[in-house]
Structures are given as C-alpha cells and as structure tokens.
Amino acid sequence: MTAILAVWIAFTSPVVYDSVILTFKMPYVPPSPSLTGLYVAASVLIVMVTAGIGALLAARISGRMEAYDAIKKGAR
C-alpha cells in the first residue's frame, strides 16, 4: 500500500510528470479509477492464488513426514 501511495504522489507531482513526458516523448495519462481498481483486484487475486498453491505444496510435503524425521532432516 505504501508503494502504491508513493507512486501516486510521484506521478501527480509536476516534476515527475514533466520528466516522463520529456523522457518518453509522450504524455502520461493515468488510468481511470475503475481501471486502476481492476488492476489492483487482478494483482491481489494472482498473489492469493500463487501463495495458496505454494502453501498447499509445502503442506502436502510436510504432511507426509513424521515430526521426528522433519526435525532430524532440518538439523543436517
């Protein structure tokens, strides 16, 4: 959330806006609030799915192992 706020502040400042125009030789047109919300929702969904798959894989592997064996394997 902090990064989103920092980028929003940076791109609403005239200094950064002018440097984007000069660097890329094209105007920066921020997306509409509804499109921004869609991007944020899609990003959150992708993160939730990939984190869930990663957690399920780790739980599946650790669920097959006895506690003593897991401790012994971690001590190596």
Side-chain angles (χ1 to χ4, degrees), residues 46-62:
I46 290 169
V47 167
M48 297 279 287
V49 168
T50 55
I53 291 171
L56 285 175
L57 290 175
R60 186 174 175 201
I61 291 169
S62 67

Side-chain angles (χ1 to χ4, degrees), residues 14-50:
V15 174
V16 175
Y17 185 81
D18 290 341
S19 68
V20 168
I21 290 172
L22 293 174
T23 302
F24 297 110
K25 295 180 179 35
M26 59 188 286
Y28 173 73
V29 180
S32 66
S34 62
L35 191 58
T36 302
L38 180 67
Y39 290 155
V40 169
S43 300
V44 168
L45 181 66
I46 290 169
V47 167
M48 297 279 287
V49 168
T50 55

